[in-house]
Amino acid sequence: MHTDEDGAGVPQERFEALGITFDLDQKKIAMASSWVTKLVGSPAWEEVKGGTASVRTIFRVFGAIVWHSFALSCPLCTCSATLAFIRRLASRAAAGDIGWDSNTEVPPAVLGELHARVSLVEENVPLTPSAYAAQQCEDTETVWTDASSTMWGYILESCAGFANQGVFEGSWAEYHIFIKELATVGEALEELATRCRGASVHLHIDNAAVVACLNKGLSSNFVANEMLSRIFSLAKDAHFWLRPRWVPTDAQKADGITRSVILPQTFPPRFIL
């Protein structure tokens, strides 16, 4: 969109019809107040937040949230449980296993994410367009993460090769290796966020399932979805653009530090608590 210095000729009413308003002086974008009221005070949202709603109503609310996320560049990847739930509903509806007007229960984890999103809509804080454009970052960070049945470890190659390791204790020891590998990614990103901001983060992981769910932004596993939400929220706050990549185990640089305690000094975990 091109304008002169005074912003003359901007078809503001066209954008307001889409639920968007601009402040050209401040270079900010927000949702139109009428659009916010339409979602926050809608019968559809009232029905969904009650915990049970029709499939059609759930998709109506989700569609509004998708538009808000797209318009203001607020990524939906922080709503992993909701994305997985919507995907299951869509598959069941397409297969004829459930009708569009059939009532279904909204899981608590999904309700929590939807409440957070609708609150974001209601606050309607003006944002700078494309504020979450971390994919355009020129800085690159290389991270190697790995886990064994008993230990986790990571190497931040771009941070002077900083490495850390730890032992899975308590309830963590009972989790599947998939969960342990995903948690190690979160642990590495927690540390990286204390050392840099705004970067394309190349994650080297030897577990194909972990790479797949990081790329999709969701999982069929409830615990994994909770972790994904935490990981993507962390990435958003640190302006990280995550680029997961599978590597064979024999090429995994962090493999050795998940076999035995070899580092002279370890830092306490932040993600694996």
Side-chain angles (χ1 to χ4, degrees):
M1 180 178 67
H2 299 282
T3 69
D4 58 25
E5 293 183 357
D6 297 324
V10 177
Q12 186 70 264
E13 67 280 358
R14 296 185 184 180
F15 290 102
E16 288 180 355
L18 295 173
I20 305 171
T21 59
F22 291 96
D23 184 332
L24 293 177
D25 292 331
Q26 298 296 321
K27 295 183 175 58
K28 298 287 186 179
I29 184 174
M31 304 306 293
S33 58
S34 58
W35 187 93
V36 172
T37 303
K38 186 177 180 180
L39 171 61
V40 175
S42 69
W45 172 234
E46 289 296 324
E47 183 179 344
V48 169
K49 72 180 184 181
T52 302
S54 70
V55 175
R56 189 184 306 277
T57 300
I58 292 171
F59 271 83
R60 183 175 294 124
V61 170
F62 183 70
I65 290 174
V66 167
W67 174 242
H68 170 267
S69 302
F70 173 76
L72 298 191
S73 299
C74 298
L76 271 173
C77 54
T78 57
C79 300
S80 298
T82 302
L83 291 172
F85 175 63
I86 291 294
R87 183 180 183 183
R88 289 195 300 270
L89 275 187
S91 297
R92 292 179 62 194
D97 296 335
I98 187 173
W100 288 102
D101 293 313
S102 301
N103 282 341
T104 187
E105 184 176 345
V106 184
V110 175
L111 270 180
E113 290 182 352
L114 291 177
H115 269 289
R117 278 287 163 161
V118 173
S119 295
L120 192 64
V121 172
E122 191 170 16
E123 291 171 6
N124 200 26
V125 177
L127 301 174
T128 301
S130 300
Y132 186 69
Q135 64 268 38
Q136 299 175 8
C137 289
E138 295 181 358
D139 294 337
T140 300
E141 300 293 335
T142 301
V143 178
W144 302 80
T145 70
D146 195 28
S148 64
S149 60
T150 58
M151 296 186 66
W152 54 268
Y154 61 82
I155 298 173
L156 307 183
E157 189 171 286
S158 306
C159 297
F162 173 83
N164 196 14
Q165 65 177 176
V167 177
F168 287 109
E169 299 177 337
S171 61
W172 282 102
E174 307 301 320
Y175 280 119
H176 189 275
I177 188 63
F178 165 68
I179 297 297
K180 292 177 178 177
E181 292 265 15
L182 187 58
T184 305
V185 172
E187 192 65 52
L189 291 175
E190 285 275 11
E191 179 62 34
L192 184 63
T194 68
R195 296 166 178 265
C196 71
R197 314 287 287 185
S200 291
V201 181
H202 292 231
L203 296 165
H204 295 74
I205 306 163
D206 63 7
N207 187 302
V210 171
V211 173
C213 76
L214 284 169
N215 281 322
K216 290 188 298 182
L218 56 88
S219 170
S220 58
N221 183 288
F222 173 76
V223 175
N225 279 325
E226 287 192 328
M227 289 188 182
L228 286 169
S229 292
R230 289 177 61 191
I231 286 171
F232 288 122
S233 292
L234 171 64
K236 177 177 179 293
D237 292 341
H239 296 285
F240 289 156
W241 182 253
L242 305 184
R243 297 182 179 274
R245 175 191 177 192
W246 178 83
V247 294
T249 299
D250 58 4
Q252 174 56 264
K253 294 184 179 181
D255 181 70
I257 58 176
T258 66
R259 304 301 174 186
S260 60
V261 179
I262 60 175
L263 297 178
Q265 179 182 11
T266 58
F267 290 73
R270 295 184 176 88
F271 193 95
I272 303 172
L273 299 176

